[in-house]
mmCIF file of all heavy atoms in Angstrom:
data_model
loop_
_atom_site.group_PDB
_atom_site.id
_atom_site.type_symbol
_atom_site.label_atom_id
_atom_site.label_comp_id
_atom_site.label_asym_id
_atom_site.label_seq_id
_atom_site.Cartn_x
_atom_site.Cartn_y
_atom_site.Cartn_z
ATOM 1 N N ASP B 411 78.142 115.070 109.972
ATOM 2 C CA ASP B 411 77.020 114.325 110.539
ATOM 3 C C ASP B 411 76.815 113.040 109.742
ATOM 4 O O ASP B 411 77.620 112.717 108.863
ATOM 5 C CB ASP B 411 75.770 115.200 110.580
ATOM 6 C CG ASP B 411 75.308 115.649 109.191
ATOM 7 O OD1 ASP B 411 75.746 115.037 108.175
ATOM 8 O OD2 ASP B 411 74.477 116.581 109.092
ATOM 9 N N GLU B 412 75.758 112.358 110.011
ATOM 10 C CA GLU B 412 75.520 111.057 109.327
ATOM 11 C C GLU B 412 75.467 111.176 107.823
ATOM 12 O O GLU B 412 75.831 110.267 107.085
ATOM 13 C CB GLU B 412 74.271 110.377 109.861
ATOM 14 C CG GLU B 412 74.394 109.830 111.261
ATOM 15 C CD GLU B 412 73.180 109.036 111.655
ATOM 16 O OE1 GLU B 412 72.047 109.566 111.588
ATOM 17 O OE2 GLU B 412 73.324 107.856 112.026
ATOM 18 N N SER B 413 75.005 112.327 107.336
ATOM 19 C CA SER B 413 74.849 112.499 105.878
ATOM 20 C C SER B 413 76.161 112.856 105.216
ATOM 21 O O SER B 413 76.259 112.895 103.996
ATOM 22 C CB SER B 413 73.825 113.568 105.591
ATOM 23 O OG SER B 413 74.373 114.881 105.846
ATOM 24 N N GLY B 414 77.186 113.176 106.029
ATOM 25 C CA GLY B 414 78.464 113.596 105.467
ATOM 26 C C GLY B 414 78.603 115.119 105.317
ATOM 27 O O GLY B 414 79.553 115.605 104.759
ATOM 28 N N THR B 415 77.625 115.849 105.884
ATOM 29 C CA THR B 415 77.691 117.297 105.873
ATOM 30 C C THR B 415 78.509 117.792 107.048
ATOM 31 O O THR B 415 78.396 117.267 108.153
ATOM 32 C CB THR B 415 76.244 117.869 105.982
ATOM 33 O OG1 THR B 415 75.444 117.303 104.929
ATOM 34 C CG2 THR B 415 76.266 119.376 105.852
ATOM 35 N N THR B 416 79.312 118.806 106.785
ATOM 36 C CA THR B 416 80.192 119.408 107.812
ATOM 37 C C THR B 416 79.406 119.807 109.044
ATOM 38 O O THR B 416 78.335 120.390 108.920
ATOM 39 C CB THR B 416 80.887 120.641 107.207
ATOM 40 O OG1 THR B 416 81.552 120.242 106.023
ATOM 41 C CG2 THR B 416 81.900 121.192 108.220
ATOM 42 N N THR B 417 79.990 119.531 110.194
ATOM 43 C CA THR B 417 79.338 119.980 111.438
ATOM 44 C C THR B 417 80.417 120.426 112.430
ATOM 45 O O THR B 417 81.577 120.013 112.330
ATOM 46 C CB THR B 417 78.542 118.848 112.103
ATOM 47 O OG1 THR B 417 77.823 119.435 113.212
ATOM 48 C CG2 THR B 417 79.409 117.719 112.604
ATOM 49 N N GLU B 418 80.019 121.313 113.353
ATOM 50 C CA GLU B 418 80.910 121.709 114.428
ATOM 51 C C GLU B 418 80.165 121.512 115.749
ATOM 52 O O GLU B 418 80.615 121.894 116.824
ATOM 53 C CB GLU B 418 81.401 123.115 114.261
ATOM 54 C CG GLU B 418 82.352 123.199 113.071
ATOM 55 C CD GLU B 418 82.952 124.556 112.810
ATOM 56 O OE1 GLU B 418 82.393 125.587 113.255
ATOM 57 O OE2 GLU B 418 83.965 124.610 112.088
ATOM 58 N N ASP B 419 79.003 120.886 115.670
ATOM 59 C CA ASP B 419 78.161 120.627 116.816
ATOM 60 C C ASP B 419 78.881 119.680 117.789
ATOM 61 O O ASP B 419 79.416 118.646 117.391
ATOM 62 C CB ASP B 419 76.834 119.970 116.316
ATOM 63 C CG ASP B 419 75.892 119.676 117.434
ATOM 64 O OD1 ASP B 419 75.102 120.544 117.769
ATOM 65 O OD2 ASP B 419 75.976 118.543 118.008
ATOM 66 N N ALA B 420 78.839 120.054 119.076
ATOM 67 C CA ALA B 420 79.600 119.279 120.063
ATOM 68 C C ALA B 420 79.101 117.843 120.177
ATOM 69 O O ALA B 420 79.899 116.884 120.194
ATOM 70 C CB ALA B 420 79.534 119.963 121.433
ATOM 71 N N SER B 421 77.776 117.702 120.233
ATOM 72 C CA SER B 421 77.275 116.360 120.436
ATOM 73 C C SER B 421 77.443 115.470 119.222
ATOM 74 O O SER B 421 77.821 114.294 119.359
ATOM 75 C CB SER B 421 75.824 116.477 120.936
ATOM 76 O OG SER B 421 74.960 115.687 120.185
ATOM 77 N N VAL B 422 77.245 116.024 118.045
ATOM 78 C CA VAL B 422 77.478 115.228 116.825
ATOM 79 C C VAL B 422 78.945 114.884 116.732
ATOM 80 O O VAL B 422 79.317 113.738 116.400
ATOM 81 C CB VAL B 422 77.003 115.977 115.567
ATOM 82 C CG1 VAL B 422 77.293 115.159 114.316
ATOM 83 C CG2 VAL B 422 75.514 116.335 115.638
ATOM 84 N N SER B 423 79.828 115.818 117.064
ATOM 85 C CA SER B 423 81.266 115.569 116.995
ATOM 86 C C SER B 423 81.622 114.405 117.910
ATOM 87 O O SER B 423 82.350 113.478 117.536
ATOM 88 C CB SER B 423 82.060 116.797 117.396
ATOM 89 O OG SER B 423 81.734 117.870 116.543
ATOM 90 N N ALA B 424 81.093 114.451 119.131
ATOM 91 C CA ALA B 424 81.421 113.389 120.092
ATOM 92 C C ALA B 424 80.866 112.051 119.588
ATOM 93 O O ALA B 424 81.568 111.003 119.664
ATOM 94 C CB ALA B 424 80.840 113.708 121.452
ATOM 95 N N THR B 425 79.657 112.064 119.032
ATOM 96 C CA THR B 425 79.063 110.819 118.526
ATOM 97 C C THR B 425 79.919 110.226 117.422
ATOM 98 O O THR B 425 80.145 109.010 117.385
ATOM 99 C CB THR B 425 77.656 111.102 117.972
ATOM 100 O OG1 THR B 425 76.876 111.657 119.034
ATOM 101 C CG2 THR B 425 76.975 109.852 117.451
ATOM 102 N N MET B 426 80.395 111.090 116.543
ATOM 103 C CA MET B 426 81.217 110.591 115.428
ATOM 104 C C MET B 426 82.546 110.066 115.870
ATOM 105 O O MET B 426 83.048 109.060 115.415
ATOM 106 C CB MET B 426 81.371 111.681 114.362
ATOM 107 C CG MET B 426 80.124 111.888 113.566
ATOM 108 S SD MET B 426 79.710 110.402 112.590
ATOM 109 C CE MET B 426 77.997 110.685 112.257
ATOM 110 N N GLN B 427 83.152 110.732 116.883
ATOM 111 C CA GLN B 427 84.422 110.227 117.454
ATOM 112 C C GLN B 427 84.156 108.823 118.056
ATOM 113 O O GLN B 427 84.975 107.910 117.886
ATOM 114 C CB GLN B 427 84.973 111.160 118.552
ATOM 115 C CG GLN B 427 85.418 112.540 118.050
ATOM 116 C CD GLN B 427 86.736 112.506 117.295
ATOM 117 O OE1 GLN B 427 87.316 111.451 117.063
ATOM 118 N NE2 GLN B 427 87.200 113.680 116.857
ATOM 119 N N GLU B 428 83.011 108.717 118.738
ATOM 120 C CA GLU B 428 82.691 107.420 119.359
ATOM 121 C C GLU B 428 82.443 106.326 118.331
ATOM 122 O O GLU B 428 82.791 105.185 118.506
ATOM 123 C CB GLU B 428 81.487 107.581 120.325
ATOM 124 C CG GLU B 428 81.887 108.326 121.590
ATOM 125 C CD GLU B 428 80.738 109.004 122.288
ATOM 126 O OE1 GLU B 428 79.559 108.796 121.891
ATOM 127 O OE2 GLU B 428 81.000 109.813 123.213
ATOM 128 N N LYS B 429 81.807 106.742 117.225
ATOM 129 C CA LYS B 429 81.576 105.782 116.168
ATOM 130 C C LYS B 429 82.933 105.259 115.636
ATOM 131 O O LYS B 429 83.088 104.054 115.465
ATOM 132 C CB LYS B 429 80.810 106.478 115.011
ATOM 133 C CG LYS B 429 80.750 105.718 113.718
ATOM 134 C CD LYS B 429 79.973 106.530 112.654
ATOM 135 C CE LYS B 429 80.546 106.381 111.279
ATOM 136 N NZ LYS B 429 80.647 105.041 110.777
ATOM 137 N N ARG B 430 83.866 106.145 115.414
ATOM 138 C CA ARG B 430 85.177 105.712 114.917
ATOM 139 C C ARG B 430 85.912 104.874 116.011
ATOM 140 O O ARG B 430 86.553 103.897 115.681
ATOM 141 C CB ARG B 430 86.003 106.901 114.492
ATOM 142 C CG ARG B 430 85.459 107.592 113.219
ATOM 143 C CD ARG B 430 86.367 108.644 112.668
ATOM 144 N NE ARG B 430 86.469 109.818 113.537
ATOM 145 C CZ ARG B 430 85.701 110.916 113.442
ATOM 146 N NH1 ARG B 430 84.757 111.006 112.493
ATOM 147 N NH2 ARG B 430 85.882 111.939 114.239
ATOM 148 N N ARG B 431 85.711 105.279 117.260
ATOM 149 C CA ARG B 431 86.362 104.518 118.329
ATOM 150 C C ARG B 431 85.764 103.094 118.393
ATOM 151 O O ARG B 431 86.456 102.116 118.598
ATOM 152 C CB ARG B 431 86.101 105.225 119.661
ATOM 153 C CG ARG B 431 86.876 104.582 120.820
ATOM 154 C CD ARG B 431 86.609 105.304 122.124
ATOM 155 N NE ARG B 431 85.226 105.183 122.572
ATOM 156 C CZ ARG B 431 84.662 105.895 123.546
ATOM 157 N NH1 ARG B 431 85.356 106.842 124.146
ATOM 158 N NH2 ARG B 431 83.399 105.752 123.843
ATOM 159 N N GLU B 432 84.446 103.021 118.150
ATOM 160 C CA GLU B 432 83.786 101.717 118.204
ATOM 161 C C GLU B 432 84.321 100.775 117.130
ATOM 162 O O GLU B 432 84.415 99.562 117.318
ATOM 163 C CB GLU B 432 82.283 101.920 117.972
ATOM 164 C CG GLU B 432 81.382 100.872 118.571
ATOM 165 C CD GLU B 432 81.731 100.509 120.004
ATOM 166 O OE1 GLU B 432 82.099 101.407 120.791
ATOM 167 O OE2 GLU B 432 81.633 99.313 120.326
ATOM 168 N N LYS B 433 84.737 101.350 116.025
ATOM 169 C CA LYS B 433 85.289 100.531 114.928
ATOM 170 C C LYS B 433 86.572 99.835 115.366
ATOM 171 O O LYS B 433 86.890 98.754 114.878
ATOM 172 C CB LYS B 433 85.550 101.380 113.657
ATOM 173 C CG LYS B 433 84.325 101.755 112.895
ATOM 174 C CD LYS B 433 84.559 101.923 111.383
ATOM 175 C CE LYS B 433 85.554 102.993 111.031
ATOM 176 N NZ LYS B 433 85.652 103.186 109.568
ATOM 177 N N VAL B 434 87.328 100.479 116.268
ATOM 178 C CA VAL B 434 88.553 99.840 116.726
ATOM 179 C C VAL B 434 88.202 98.522 117.441
ATOM 180 O O VAL B 434 88.830 97.498 117.182
ATOM 181 C CB VAL B 434 89.313 100.769 117.721
ATOM 182 C CG1 VAL B 434 90.582 100.055 118.240
ATOM 183 C CG2 VAL B 434 89.669 102.082 117.076
ATOM 184 N N ARG B 435 87.178 98.599 118.264
ATOM 185 C CA ARG B 435 86.757 97.384 119.001
ATOM 186 C C ARG B 435 86.251 96.307 118.033
ATOM 187 O O ARG B 435 86.602 95.135 118.101
ATOM 188 C CB ARG B 435 85.687 97.753 120.047
ATOM 189 C CG ARG B 435 85.461 96.707 121.085
ATOM 190 C CD ARG B 435 84.271 96.992 121.979
ATOM 191 N NE ARG B 435 83.068 97.297 121.233
ATOM 192 C CZ ARG B 435 82.311 96.368 120.625
ATOM 193 N NH1 ARG B 435 82.661 95.094 120.687
ATOM 194 N NH2 ARG B 435 81.194 96.724 119.956
#
Side-chain angles (χ1 to χ4, degrees):
Chain B
D411 62 16
E412 287 187 304
S413 75
T415 304
T416 306
T417 186
E418 291 181 341
D419 179 89
S421 128
V422 177
S423 302
T425 301
M426 286 295 160
Q427 294 286 2
E428 286 156 9
K429 167 182 144 55
R430 291 188 291 269
R431 186 180 67 192
E432 205 49 36
K433 286 209 298 184
V434 178
R435 196 187 52 76

